[in-house]
Amino acid sequence: MNKNEIVESLKDGLIVSCQAVPGEPHYMEGITVKFAECADWAGAAGLRVNSPEDIKAIKEKVNLPIVGIWKIDRNIAAKAVWEAGAEIIAVQATNHLRDDGKLSYETIKEIKENLPDALIFADIATAEDAKIAASYGADFVAPTLAGYTKAGHFNKVEIKDTPDFNLLRDIVDAVKGTMTKVIMEGKVSTPEIAVQCLYMGAHAVVVGNAITRPHITAKRFVRTLNRFHGE
């Protein structure tokens, strides 16, 4: 598929985050490939995958567009995930200084110059991030980093189990009139919430914890039940 076809194929669809890290109770060799196969079987539109190794292994089994990430040095990561088979490259796009003193938004321009056939998925924290990322040419913006940056007002005490719909509204407004699509990511824990996000203007939704991290889903149930007992 070309870039426009990939963008259209994701419309109103589910992107499943297929990630697992050492130390999690369900971590084992090949688990992310099984996640991807389950997502494909279910009819997902795309996948979000970490590391070139996992991207390559999944591409051998599943033919869905992949949002590729690799949480290492930016100059190595983008090229590596692209060569591994990811059609979409995820980058941090926040008011954060890189090690070279430039704001992280600059990574969008650099990838567009060096990998012009790649789509760019900007992980943002605020509506202002979305506006800037769109002006730099990001194809997608998602509030993946909301709550994890100073601007995102991260609160370590309060744990919310629902998306920030006000932020989604503001992001949709921020990129209005541009070619940039909004992907909702973060706390999309039910199909009903996913549909609500689409109604609010999201192009697609990313779901991870509720599908591929059963221990986190179980914890959400336990936390809610504990509230019932006043704990």
Side-chain angles (χ1 to χ4, degrees), residues 4-215:
N4 290 334
E5 289 171 336
I6 292 171
V7 172
E8 188 59 29
S9 75
L10 296 176
K11 182 172 173 54
D12 298 337
L14 169 67
I15 300 169
V16 178
S17 182
C18 300
Q19 302 181 54
V21 297
E24 292 185 309
H26 66 310
Y27 180 80
M28 65 184 73
E29 185 177 353
I31 188 66
T32 55
V33 175
K34 291 302 180 185
F35 286 159
E37 290 179 317
C38 289
D40 187 32
W41 180 91
L47 308 169
R48 183 172 167 109
V49 183
N50 179 48
S51 86
E53 292 78 14
D54 277 2
I55 293 167
K56 185 176 180 180
I58 287 171
K59 270 298 183 183
E60 292 176 355
K61 297 288 186 178
V62 177
N63 187 27
L64 288 175
I66 289 180
V67 179
I69 59 174
W70 197 20
K71 300 168 185 176
I72 65 165
D73 183 88
R74 66 184 185 280
N75 294 321
I76 300 171
K79 184 178 180 182
V81 299
W82 174 254
E83 291 179 347
E87 295 86 354
I88 307 164
I89 300 174
V91 300
Q92 180 176 353
T94 62
N95 187 28
H96 168 78
L97 289 176
R98 307 185 318 193
D99 54 7
D100 62 358
K102 295 181 180 180
L103 288 172
S104 64
Y105 311 112
E106 294 290 337
T107 308
I108 297 170
K109 286 184 178 179
E110 292 167 359
I111 294 174
K112 288 179 71 69
E113 291 172 359
N114 292 287
L115 298 170
D117 292 329
L119 290 160
I120 300 176
F121 187 110
D123 289 325
I124 63 168
T126 67
E128 181 63 20
D129 289 340
K131 184 176 181 179
I132 296 171
S135 72
Y136 275 52
D139 300 284
F140 305 101
V141 292
T144 316
L145 299 176
Y148 293 96
T149 69
K150 185 175 180 180
H153 307 295
F154 182 53
N155 187 328
K156 293 183 179 180
V157 177
E158 184 179 14
I159 299 175
K160 294 183 178 181
D161 290 325
T162 56
D164 188 337
F165 291 114
N166 289 333
L167 177 58
L168 173 58
R169 175 203 61 203
D170 293 344
I171 291 171
V172 170
D173 287 344
V175 302
K176 195 169 292 182
T178 73
M179 297 296 290
T180 303
K181 308 296 184 185
V182 177
I183 307 292
M184 184 56 186
E185 181 168 4
K187 309 296 185 182
V188 182
S189 57
T190 69
E192 292 75 20
I193 289 174
V195 171
Q196 184 174 347
C197 293
L198 298 182
Y199 271 117
M200 292 183 66
H203 185 74
V205 297
V206 173
V207 179
N209 288 358
I211 296 175
T212 57
R213 300 183 77 196
H215 57 300

Side-chain angles (χ1 to χ4, degrees), residues 222-231:
V222 170
R223 188 163 58 242
T224 302
L225 291 172
N226 286 342
R227 288 171 184 160
F228 175 78
H229 292 291
E231 296 181 17

